Amino acid sequence: MEERNGLSARSAVLSALLGSHPPSLPARHLVRIGALFGIAEGTVRVALSRMVAAGDLIQSGGLYTLSERLIERQARQDESRAPHIRPWDGTWELAVVTAERRAPADRAALRHTMATLRLAELREGTWMRPANLVREWPKTVTAQCTLIDGRPHGDPTALLWDLDGWAAEARGLERSLDRAEGLAEGFLVSAAVLRHLLADPLLPGELLPAGWPGGELRARYDDFDRGYRELLNRHLRG
């Protein structure tokens, strides 16, 4: 059920827990967050029950906690705020699908994993990105792909990512952070920034256009989040 601002009870609960460390909150706090958007208490509690039944949340001791799958999503969200990047020597990572028979579920899992690893698809079954991120290749990838390190002739960046579009939205979100007033608006802007940071390809500086706003958006969001979390926690305790 969607309420004011088009925010559903499920989305409000998920955003609240993804932004909490540890990712656990009592029902009364989640109800108070829903109330910021005109979501009735009964609607929030129904959403909580459904999310527990679906395996999204774990209920224990009066607390609702993210499931392991969603804790992994929170870890990716945290990583997007403070990414682990290594110096780039010009090498690109390529993952080429070579498994002959793949179930639809395997195909979907690979596409999802590639997005979380911030690889882009050059063509069907060929994924690539600069080799400047610190992480391991998960089994989902190694079971379906052949991995190659190489250097393309020419720069394929423009074929893989819409950098102008990402930068324009980032600058718009910076303005939204500056204008955000009240807990409800701050909650929505915060969630929007975190979603956008997850979509940052985290390219080396050599491949980014001048004035790239990624670092600035992270710094401004960190400043905003410190103050906003204090206000929100005060509201929840009140």
Side-chain angles (χ1 to χ4, degrees), residues 40-93:
E41 177 177 349
T43 302
V44 174
R45 291 189 181 276
V46 168
L48 289 172
S49 296
R50 290 176 176 172
M51 293 170 75
V52 170
D56 294 328
L57 303 180
I58 298 168
Q59 182 185 19
S60 178
L63 294 175
Y64 288 88
T65 304
L66 293 178
S67 66
E68 182 177 351
R69 173 179 60 83
L70 290 172
I71 287 176
E72 291 175 359
R73 176 175 166 183
Q74 185 187 54
R76 294 196 304 272
Q77 180 175 283
D78 292 344
E79 166 76 10
S80 73
R81 294 180 61 179
H84 292 84
I85 296 175
R86 63 187 181 186
W88 187 54
D89 64 0
T91 301
W92 285 66
E93 300 169 338

Side-chain angles (χ1 to χ4, degrees), residues 26-156:
R28 67 180 184 279
H29 285 185
L30 295 167
V31 166
R32 287 178 71 87
I33 288 172
L36 294 173
F37 305 98
I39 304 174
E41 177 177 349
T43 302
V44 174
R45 291 189 181 276
V46 168
L48 289 172
S49 296
R50 290 176 176 172
M51 293 170 75
V52 170
D56 294 328
L57 303 180
I58 298 168
Q59 182 185 19
S60 178
L63 294 175
Y64 288 88
T65 304
L66 293 178
S67 66
E68 182 177 351
R69 173 179 60 83
L70 290 172
I71 287 176
E72 291 175 359
R73 176 175 166 183
Q74 185 187 54
R76 294 196 304 272
Q77 180 175 283
D78 292 344
E79 166 76 10
S80 73
R81 294 180 61 179
H84 292 84
I85 296 175
R86 63 187 181 186
W88 187 54
D89 64 0
T91 301
W92 285 66
E93 300 169 338
L94 284 84
V96 181
V97 175
T98 51
E100 294 185 1
R101 296 181 180 178
R102 297 187 296 151
D106 293 334
R107 294 173 182 269
L110 179 66
R111 186 166 292 276
H112 172 75
T113 301
M114 290 304 195
T116 64
L117 294 172
R118 290 181 164 82
L119 275 81
E121 194 170 24
L122 180 65
R123 53 164 295 175
E124 179 68 29
T126 302
W127 303 78
M128 61 189 301
R129 68 155 294 110
N132 69 320
L133 299 183
V134 179
R135 75 279 197 262
E136 299 293 331
W137 290 105
K139 186 175 180 180
T140 303
V141 175
T142 58
Q144 300 184 52
C145 299
T146 296
L147 304 178
I148 305 168
D149 289 338
R151 298 180 181 231
H153 293 189
D155 180 5

